[in-house]
């Protein structure tokens, strides 16, 4: 007797791409607090993460623009006269929600990478803004790791994220590679005066810190921004057994690469990417 066929095998779930975020003491402390269901603010020199019942509800960093700065940078024209007020109000609420999520992830990018820095936890400290999203520690770590992985694929030189950057005038003067750049990258080049860091440029332009970091690394990969060198290696007596590791004395050369078809730092593209990620998470 032939056995009756069983139920069909479930379709394989699509694997989600995850970024690799190096471990840090801040992440370890955050994971413990989330597991305990804590409420308060974990704070270090580069940023704070706010928890409510073990869920991440807000983040702030002196290196990232706040929500008000991002909202002020939205130069979308006002709705025409006679437009429906409920629709306009909904659009404004959605814009604020996106800006608040962007500010959270911008601040978490710097906060989660704090390692061996003095940390404090203020129990019961409420966030300055009402939460619109609640994330687990793992979800936040994954989101920051994906951003870090994207930046490293564009230009694997993290020193450029926090050092003062300068427009490479000799390359920019040639004009050809500069002419094909989007307007926002022209603004970044104009602000790269050798005194401002990418976070300061982001605040000046009232833009997302991550979007500005991505532009800076793309410009560095094209040779239009001078990349800071490594810090001086401390002198030490050589090990007679183990050879000294090779340390590069300069950044990698500009890459010959084509620009991505879709720029993740564009607000509309970023919204579509977030919607796609939400749909994939439900699959």
């Amino acid at each position: 007797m032939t056995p009756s066929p069983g139920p069909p095998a479930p379709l394989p779930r699509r694997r989600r791409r995850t970024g690799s975020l190096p471990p840090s003491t801040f992440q370890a402390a955050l994971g413990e607090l989330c597991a305990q269901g804590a409420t308060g603010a974990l704070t270090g020199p580069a940023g704070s993460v706010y928890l409510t019942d073990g869920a991440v509800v807000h983040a702030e960093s002196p290196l990232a623009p706040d929500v008000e700065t991002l909202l002020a940078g939205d130069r979308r024209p006002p709705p025409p006269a006679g437009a429906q007020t409920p629709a306009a109000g909904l659009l404004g609420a959605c814009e604020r929600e996106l800006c608040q999520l962007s500010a959270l992830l911008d601040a978490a990018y710097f906060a989660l990478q704090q390692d061996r820095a003095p940390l404090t936890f203020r129990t019961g400290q409420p966030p300055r803004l009402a939460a619109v999203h609640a994330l687990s520690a793992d979800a936040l770590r994954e989101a920051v790791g994906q951003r870090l992985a994207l930046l490293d694929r564009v230009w694997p030189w993290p020193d450029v994220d926090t050092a003062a950057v300068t427009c490479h005038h000799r390359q920019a003067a040639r004009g050809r590679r500069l002419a094909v750049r989007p307007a926002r990258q022209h603004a970044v080049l104009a602000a790269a005066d050798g005194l401002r860091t990418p976070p300061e440029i982001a605040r000046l332009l009232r833009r997302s810190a991550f979007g500005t970091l991505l532009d800076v690394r793309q410009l560095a990969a094209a040779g239009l921004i001078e990349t800071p060198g490594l810090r001086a290696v401390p002198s030490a007596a050589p090990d007679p057994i183990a050879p000294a590791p090779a340390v590069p004395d300069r950044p990698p050369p500009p890459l010959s690469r084509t620009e991505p078809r879709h720029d993740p730092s564009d607000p509309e593209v970023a919204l579509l990417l977030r919607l796609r990620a939400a749909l994939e998470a439900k699959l």
Side-chain angles (χ1 to χ4, degrees):
M1 180 177 180
T2 304
S4 60
L11 295 175
R13 297 183 64 181
R14 182 174 181 179
R15 296 184 61 184
R16 298 174 63 186
R17 296 180 59 187
T18 58
S20 56
L21 183 63
S24 67
T25 54
F26 191 96
Q27 295 174 47
L30 181 64
E32 293 180 2
L33 291 169
C34 288
Q36 297 170 7
T39 296
L42 179 63
T43 301
S48 304
V49 172
Y50 291 81
L51 304 175
T52 298
D53 297 330
V56 177
V57 295
H58 187 55
E60 296 177 351
S61 171
L63 299 173
D66 56 17
V67 178
E68 286 73 17
T69 301
L70 296 180
L71 286 172
D74 186 4
R75 296 179 175 84
R76 184 175 301 179
Q84 296 182 1
T85 303
L90 179 60
L91 180 61
C94 291
E95 289 177 351
R96 184 173 184 85
E97 181 175 343
L98 289 176
C99 287
Q100 189 165 345
L101 179 59
S102 178
L104 187 157
L105 294 177
D106 278 354
Y109 176 84
F110 297 105
L112 264 61
Q113 297 187 68
Q114 297 178 100
D115 191 34
R116 303 183 185 278
L119 304 178
T120 59
F121 181 70
R122 300 190 300 273
T123 303
Q125 179 72 28
R128 186 171 56 89
L129 298 174
V132 294
H133 288 280
L135 303 173
S136 66
D138 290 339
L140 184 65
R141 188 184 304 110
E142 181 179 351
V144 173
Q146 289 175 346
R147 290 185 163 205
L148 184 61
L150 175 59
L151 292 175
D152 285 344
R153 285 197 300 270
V154 172
W155 186 242
W157 201 256
D159 288 35
V160 77
D161 290 350
T162 54
V165 292
T166 306
C167 174
H168 204 310
H169 296 286
R170 289 178 297 177
Q171 295 288 353
R174 298 179 183 179
R176 183 176 180 181
R177 279 185 287 182
L178 183 61
V180 298
R181 296 284 155 180
R184 68 174 189 282
Q185 291 191 355
H186 284 262
V188 171
L189 285 172
D193 58 357
L195 300 176
R196 299 186 181 97
T197 64
E200 291 172 339
I201 293 176
R203 190 173 290 104
L204 174 69
L205 301 179
R206 298 175 177 177
R207 288 186 49 208
S208 161
F210 172 71
T212 304
L213 292 178
L214 185 60
D215 282 339
V216 167
R217 292 215 193 186
Q218 288 176 342
L219 292 168
L224 296 173
I225 274 187
E226 296 181 6
T227 304
L230 286 172
R231 295 184 297 271
V233 179
S235 58
D239 190 334
I241 300 177
V247 178
D249 58 354
R250 60 181 61 89
L255 304 179
S256 176
R257 62 169 75 240
T258 58
E259 289 296 317
R261 184 177 179 182
H262 301 296
D263 187 355
S265 67
D266 183 270
E268 297 181 357
V269 174
L271 175 58
L272 294 177
L273 291 176
R274 282 194 290 271
L275 292 175
R276 185 184 68 180
L279 292 175
E280 290 179 353
K282 296 180 180 179
L283 296 179

